[in-house]
Amino acid sequence: MKQQPRKIKIREFIAIMISVIGAKATEDTPVGIYNQVQNAAWMIPILTGILFILPLFLLLKTLSLFEGKGLFQGIQLIFGKSIGFVVCLIVFFMHTSVVSFDARTYSDIIRSFYFPTTPYLVISGILMFVCAYGAKKGIEHIGSVAYLVVFYLMISLSVAWMLSLQDTSLDAIFPLLGTGGMEILKTSTLRFNLYVEFIVAALLIPYMASMKEFKKGTWFTLFFMIILLSSSILVYVCLFDRSIDAIGFPFHTLIRYISLGNFLSNVEVLFFPVWIIGSFIRFSVAIYFGALMFGQIFKIKDFEYLIPALTLIYLLIGFIPEAPADVSVDYKPIIRDIAGYTYVTLAFLIWIVALLKGDFKHAKKKTSL
């Protein structure tokens, strides 16, 4: 008899979301933002986070009507089976594209900074194999590992910041508005991809003890991520100034730049193990979400068996671009913008359709009775 999986605690959910979204501070995301608004890049996570509050609030409010139902279950109840199937399929394809190119980016980081002579295919294969194994263990196990590791992830990032402060200059944030106020507002609306994982995470509602816990964990993590991402970019701007646009991955450049006195100059050997464990957690969650999506779309109960096949698909799609520059310049910006708008539009659509169908009125009457 198959044992019923235990519910995820709020602390484990928060640890998962910090690991997934906080990792964006260590990849090429800060550089992409800087290229658009220059030294005002640190403002974008704050402004985008504020704008993201409304669609996230509407999504949670709507899904609260269906107690114990996740994102895809809610979509199918609101849109109906046929339209709901199409909407869920679009979300699945979007998730697949994002995960595939993000995984390729992490392979580029590992090869560029740590194993320059190892082929991309070997690095990507090992990365995805380990993450597939983690995903196969289930979300409750991933949550437990994330809870154990997240403290060290935050300590690692904080120590890296503190060691770099002696070489930073606050003058680098001036002129304060960078390329201009209008460009900042425009970029803020293009960067919803920073937080769209909160919408995807609604798949986990049935795995939480209650909707109330899911909401608490979501709002706490959102505000924490706004601070974390903004602070990270601010440190990079103050340390590298205008040269940041020539740096592909500022966090990994930073940990190569800093040192602990004269006796330990190669401190990246201390940070890399923690970062790679965080990366394993991030992609284990992403692969699990992909399998869960596919399983709910096609009514496959034991969706965990899909994980190896999906992992291979992510690996193959990620290798469509021949060069690393093609990923960061040609593919990721397009996928990033489309994904951001798709998920935010979905949150609004779910609320609007539920409102027009009278689901809120029915729920209110049911509560009063």
Side-chain angles (χ1 to χ4, degrees):
M1 186 176 178
K2 190 174 180 180
Q3 190 177 5
Q4 187 74 13
R6 68 175 178 84
K7 297 289 185 178
I8 305 172
K9 297 178 181 177
I10 187 171
R11 66 186 188 184
E12 294 169 343
F13 173 73
I14 290 172
I16 287 173
M17 297 311 295
I18 290 175
S19 301
V20 170
I21 300 176
K24 295 181 182 182
T26 68
E27 52 181 51
D28 57 352
T29 299
V31 176
I33 297 175
Y34 183 87
N35 288 337
Q36 291 178 295
V37 294
Q38 301 297 308
N39 47 295
W42 62 275
M43 297 182 184
I44 301 303
I46 299 173
L47 296 175
T48 302
I50 292 171
L51 293 173
F52 188 73
I53 289 174
L54 179 59
L56 183 60
F57 170 77
L58 294 177
L59 177 74
L60 295 178
K61 183 178 176 65
T62 308
L63 292 179
S64 297
L65 300 175
F66 314 103
E67 189 64 35
K69 302 296 182 182
L71 178 64
F72 276 20
Q73 296 161 325
I75 288 173
Q76 290 171 349
L77 288 171
I78 292 169
F79 290 100
K81 288 186 178 180
S82 300
I83 298 177
F85 175 84
V86 175
V87 173
C88 291
L89 204 59
I90 291 171
V91 174
F92 171 74
F93 284 133
M94 189 59 57
H95 177 78
T96 299
S97 301
V98 171
V99 174
S100 299
F101 293 120
D102 278 347
R104 174 63 187 273
T105 297
Y106 276 67
S107 299
D108 295 337
I109 294 172
I110 295 169
R111 189 178 192 272
S112 300
F113 286 89
Y114 306 102
F115 301 99
T117 60
T118 307
Y120 278 114
L121 186 59
V122 174
I123 293 173
S124 297
I126 294 173
L127 174 66
M128 298 307 283
F129 173 79
V130 174
C131 295
Y133 175 78
K136 188 70 171 61
K137 297 295 286 184
I139 193 65
E140 60 275 5
H141 291 285
I142 299 173
S144 298
V145 174
Y147 177 69
L148 293 173
V149 172
V150 71
F151 174 77
Y152 299 101
L153 290 174
M154 293 299 100
I155 289 294
S156 175
L157 192 59
S158 301
V159 169
W161 288 352
M162 288 188 289
L163 291 176
S164 68
L165 288 179
Q166 59 184 342
D167 297 313
T168 57
S169 173
L170 275 176
D171 293 338
I173 68 172
F174 298 104
L176 204 59
L177 295 182
T179 53
M182 291 305 296
E183 189 64 29
I184 291 173
L185 291 175
K186 178 185 173 183
T187 304
S188 298
T189 61
L190 290 171
R191 285 291 171 172
F192 287 120
N193 68 295
L194 290 173
Y195 305 110
V196 292
E197 283 81 3
F198 285 110
I199 294 177
V200 181
L203 290 163
L204 295 180
I205 291 174
Y207 296 85
M208 300 287 292
S210 66
M211 185 66 180
K212 187 177 181 181
E213 281 204 357
F214 180 81
K215 287 181 178 179
K216 282 183 179 179
T218 298
W219 289 121
F220 173 84
T221 315
L222 174 61
F223 292 117
F224 184 76
M225 285 297 98
I226 290 173
I227 297 170
L228 178 69
L229 293 176
S230 179
S231 302
S232 300
I233 297 175
L234 181 62
V235 170
Y236 301 146
V237 169
C238 292
L239 179 63
F240 299 114
D241 201 1
R242 294 184 181 277
S243 63
I244 192 174
D245 56 4
I247 299 172
F249 309 106
F251 173 76
H252 298 274
T253 304
L254 182 149
I255 60 176
R256 281 195 161 194
Y257 177 83
I258 60 179
S259 62
L260 288 170
N262 296 323
F263 63 93
L264 184 58
S265 56
N266 300 90
V267 295
E268 65 267 21
V269 298
L270 302 177
F271 294 100
F272 176 71
V274 181
W275 175 81
I276 197 66
I277 292 172
S279 302
F280 289 150
I281 293 171
R282 179 184 182 182
F283 288 106
S284 294
V285 173
I287 293 170
Y288 184 87
F289 279 163
L292 180 58
M293 287 179 182
F294 196 89
Q296 291 188 356
I297 291 171
F298 295 102
K299 311 300 180 186
I300 301 172
K301 188 175 181 181
D302 296 323
F303 60 88
E304 292 89 353
Y305 294 108
L306 300 168
I307 287 173
L310 283 175
T311 304
L312 183 60
I313 291 171
Y314 296 148
L315 189 62
L316 293 175
I317 293 175
F319 272 88
I320 291 176
E322 294 184 8
D326 295 334
V327 179
S328 58
V329 176
D330 297 329
Y331 288 85
K332 277 192 72 174
I334 297 172
I335 297 298
R336 177 200 69 211
D337 294 344
I338 294 174
Y341 281 122
T342 298
Y343 287 117
V344 169
T345 302
L346 174 65
F348 280 112
L349 274 177
I350 288 174
W351 175 75
I352 291 170
V353 174
L355 188 66
L356 293 175
K357 285 178 63 181
D359 288 334
F360 288 101
K361 289 182 180 178
H362 297 322
K364 191 175 181 181
K365 287 180 181 178
K366 191 175 179 181
T367 305
S368 62
L369 290 173

